[in-house]
Amino acid sequence: MSNRERESFDCIILGSGPAGYTAAIYLARAERKHILFTGLKPGGQLISTNKVENYPGFPNGVSGYKLMAAFKAQSERFGTKVKDNSVVKINFNIIKNLHEVILDNYLKLKTKALIIATGASPRYLKIENENNLIGKGISTCANCDGFFFKGKKVAVIGGGDKAAEESIYLSNLCKKVYIIIRDKKMKASKIMQKKVLNIKNVEIFYAHKVIKLIGVKKLKAIVCKNIKHNNNSLFKVAAMFLAIGQIPNSMICKPTLKLDKYGYIITKYTITNIPGIFAAGDVQDSRYRQAITSAGSGCMSAIEVEKYLQEKAD
């Protein structure tokens, strides 16, 4: 980084999903000195989404990768500096109304305001043998890994929109797709449910829970318990794709910022319990978790930052 970038910023943005880039666009247009650090996964979870059909402005849908590339390009056009670094530590209030972030290259930067838009990570089952088989048949991204299981039988775990989307994508590659759902019904949107139900090589098993993973060097089968009838079934599959929710990436905020019992940052209008610290996107949203709501909260956070900086300057 240049010496100029070592100076204090008006705002630093952590995260490069819809929330982070939207916040950057608004801060850039307000001519606030800011910088965005992408973190370990530039583009966030959306980068691995095969097709986004519910984001306004794209009547034929758009790939998550292209959508996030457009977000990045737009923010950079207005002057946002985007750096491929991660923040490993936040020192809150090192001086009155001034915070410090420490990067993975040990560089320390000071800022008047900070927007935490670090998103969330996929949730795992946390059962025996799972860690051993991650990358060996267990995946959280069908778009990334589905090709490796072309013509084979696979399972998708979950009943929401993410699970439906993964199943639709995999149905075009794989011989058979089993959807394993713990509940008695799908939580996916009606249109996604209709799409899934009309695919011949997709079969849904409700009230089923994965209890055992079979395989050593690679996944060979999964054992599911029928919660309703209390019996077990064996599914011989080459892969299992997890779509069972997410865990907010808020560890870096502990113990200073207030979190709810699930680890989401508690906010009011994106404002946290620490003056000058704001949160946007999935790291503070346990309810909606959509690209458009993340972008909306990114906008809100930037407006709140501008208001905060103006009040401090008066």
Side-chain angles (χ1 to χ4, degrees):
M1 287 188 171
S2 66
N3 290 330
R4 186 168 64 86
E5 289 174 339
R6 293 173 186 268
E7 298 171 4
S8 179
F9 289 86
D10 287 327
C11 185
I12 290 176
I13 303 167
L14 310 186
S16 54
Y21 279 130
T22 302
I25 290 168
Y26 275 77
L27 288 172
R29 288 173 60 83
E31 297 185 344
R32 288 294 183 179
K33 185 179 179 183
H34 67 291
I35 190 168
L36 182 150
F37 294 106
T38 64
L40 295 174
K41 192 173 184 180
Q45 289 193 71
L46 206 63
I47 205 77
S48 58
T49 301
N50 182 48
K51 194 172 186 179
V52 181
E53 293 188 310
N54 56 2
Y55 199 91
F58 298 91
N60 297 316
V62 60
S63 76
Y65 179 86
K66 287 184 178 179
L67 182 60
M68 293 320 303
F71 270 71
K72 181 175 184 288
Q74 187 172 356
S75 67
E76 290 181 319
R77 182 169 74 85
F78 288 117
T80 298
K81 290 183 176 64
V82 178
K83 298 293 182 180
D84 295 328
N85 292 93
S86 296
V87 171
V88 297
K89 187 177 181 181
I90 303 171
N91 293 320
F92 300 96
N93 291 319
I94 55 167
I95 305 173
K96 187 177 181 180
N97 300 324
L98 198 62
H99 312 281
E100 179 184 70
V101 299
I102 302 176
L103 304 181
D104 50 8
N105 59 4
Y106 305 107
L107 186 64
K108 298 179 180 180
L109 301 175
K110 295 179 176 61
T111 184
K112 298 174 185 175
L114 181 69
I115 295 175
I116 300 171
T118 46
S121 298
R123 188 181 298 277
Y124 288 87
L125 294 172
K126 294 184 179 180
I127 61 177
E128 187 178 352
N129 204 25
E130 184 177 37
N131 288 339
N132 296 331
L133 293 172
I134 292 175
K136 301 173 184 177
I138 294 180
S139 172
T140 60
C141 177
N143 187 47
C144 308
D145 302 322
F147 176 81
F148 299 109
F149 305 98
K150 188 174 182 179
K152 297 181 180 180
K153 294 180 180 180
V154 300
V156 174
I157 315 302
D161 278 345
K162 176 66 173 177
E165 181 190 331
E166 300 274 87
S167 302
I168 293 168
Y169 177 79
L170 290 167
S171 69
N172 293 314
L173 293 172
C174 302
K175 180 181 180 180
K176 184 80 174 182
V177 179
Y178 301 110
I179 301 180
I180 310 297
I181 304 174
R182 290 189 59 165
D183 295 328
K184 296 179 181 179
K185 61 181 181 179
M186 291 189 75
K187 294 181 179 179
S189 60
K190 296 297 182 182
I191 190 168
M192 293 298 282
Q193 289 188 43
K194 287 180 181 178
K195 286 184 177 181
V196 169
L197 291 172
N198 286 327
I199 302 174
K200 292 181 179 180
N201 64 332
V202 172
E203 188 173 358
I204 303 175
F205 290 84
Y206 299 100
H208 277 64
K209 175 184 177 182
V210 181
I211 60 172
K212 187 176 181 180
L213 304 172
I214 299 173
V216 179
K217 294 183 179 180
K218 62 180 181 179
L219 181 68
K220 292 184 177 180
I222 62 175
V223 178
C224 295
K225 179 179 180 179
N226 186 320
I227 300 171
K228 184 178 180 180
H229 300 293
N230 197 32
N231 62 332
N232 297 341
S233 300
L234 177 72
F235 295 84
K236 293 183 179 180
V237 294
M240 178 178 75
F241 294 86
L242 297 173
I244 53 175
Q246 57 188 22
I247 300 172
N249 297 324
S250 59
M251 284 294 294
I252 196 171
C253 307
K254 293 181 178 181
T256 309
L257 293 189
K258 288 184 178 180
L259 310 177
D260 68 13
K261 63 180 181 179
Y262 300 107
Y264 290 91
I265 301 174
I266 297 173
T267 61
K268 183 178 182 179
Y269 310 121
T270 72
I271 301 168
T272 72
N273 61 298
I274 302 295
I277 307 298
F278 305 83
D282 284 2
V283 74
Q284 54 87 56
D285 176 18
S286 62
R287 187 178 182 90
Y288 301 106
R289 296 178 291 188
Q290 301 294 309
I292 192 168
T293 52
S294 290
S297 66
C299 164
M300 292 164 59
S301 68
I303 291 173
E304 292 296 340
V305 165
E306 179 64 16
K307 181 180 178 182
Y308 170 80
L309 294 175
Q310 287 179 351
E311 289 174 349
K312 294 301 177 184
D314 293 340

